[in-house]
Amino acid sequence: IALAASKDEIDAKVPQAVEDFYKQTSAGKRLAQKAAGMLVFPEVLKAGIGVGGEYGEGALLIKGKTAAYYSTAAASIGFQLGAQVKSQIILFMNPKALENFRKSEGWKAGVDGSVALATLGAGGELSTDTVKQPIIGFIFSNKGLMYNLTFEGSKITRLER
């Protein structure tokens, strides 16, 4: 698993990940502008032979400024071979969802909060059900948004940086 990134490394990669995200989905950009907070993991590495794992580090942005640093980690079971890097963005759409996340010691997707995985419908728009959720997640690579993935089981922990 990747070694811990420095604050500077995370700060350098987060704006690029946000820019890439905005290029991929204008609907995501509009949502991000309304969000109370935006958690950005520029590089989440998924690797394994047989049993696998994921790990990435990123930052929580509030009003465009870094408020704190976090890591995301998950184990995955099932046949896997090789490695894959993807980006993840989680939008906290209201102050309450953001506050609950920030107060938690090790927040687990699906347990401490349900993350609605964004999928694009016709014309590149997000489904109306997704848009109404308090926490919306996006997973993407340089090839576009990825839909066959989930945030369930991902544990997000605050980093001291």
Side-chain angles (χ1 to χ4, degrees):
I1 293 202
L3 297 171
S6 71
K7 187 175 178 292
D8 291 344
E9 287 173 293
I10 296 170
D11 287 343
K13 290 177 180 173
V14 165
Q16 184 61 53
V18 172
E19 197 177 303
D20 293 347
F21 170 60
Y22 287 169
K23 280 183 196 153
Q24 297 201 14
T25 166
S26 58
K29 181 176 184 176
R30 289 194 302 276
L31 275 179
Q33 289 166 340
K34 293 180 193 160
M38 180 162 146
L39 187 56
V40 181
F41 294 108
E43 294 175 346
V44 179
L45 176 68
K46 179 177 187 170
I49 298 172
V51 175
E54 292 183 11
Y55 184 78
E57 294 178 344
L60 175 66
L61 305 179
I62 297 176
K63 295 186 170 98
K65 301 262 184 276
T66 299
Y69 297 93
Y70 289 86
S71 68
T72 179
S76 48
I77 298 163
F79 182 75
Q80 290 155 36
L81 186 62
Q84 173 187 44
V85 177
K86 60 193 178 189
S87 299
Q88 296 181 351
I89 289 185
I90 298 176
L91 302 179
F92 296 94
M93 297 309 297
N94 62 54
K96 185 82 183 129
L98 178 61
E99 183 187 349
N100 289 344
F101 169 74
R102 293 190 78 188
K103 280 184 181 170
S104 72
E105 292 291 323
W107 190 87
K108 198 158 187 188
V111 177
D112 299 305
S114 184
V115 179
L117 182 66
T119 55
L120 296 182
E125 288 306 306
L126 294 170
S127 86
T128 47
D129 289 344
T130 304
V131 175
K132 294 176 186 149
Q133 300 302 315
I135 305 172
I136 305 169
F138 297 83
I139 300 174
F140 58 96
S141 71
N142 55 359
K143 295 183 179 77
L145 285 178
M146 302 165 91
Y147 303 122
N148 56 341
L149 302 169
T150 179
F151 284 94
E152 296 296 303
S154 295
K155 186 170 196 270
I156 300 173
T157 310
R158 188 171 172 152
L159 298 172
E160 295 309 319
R161 290 279 190 274

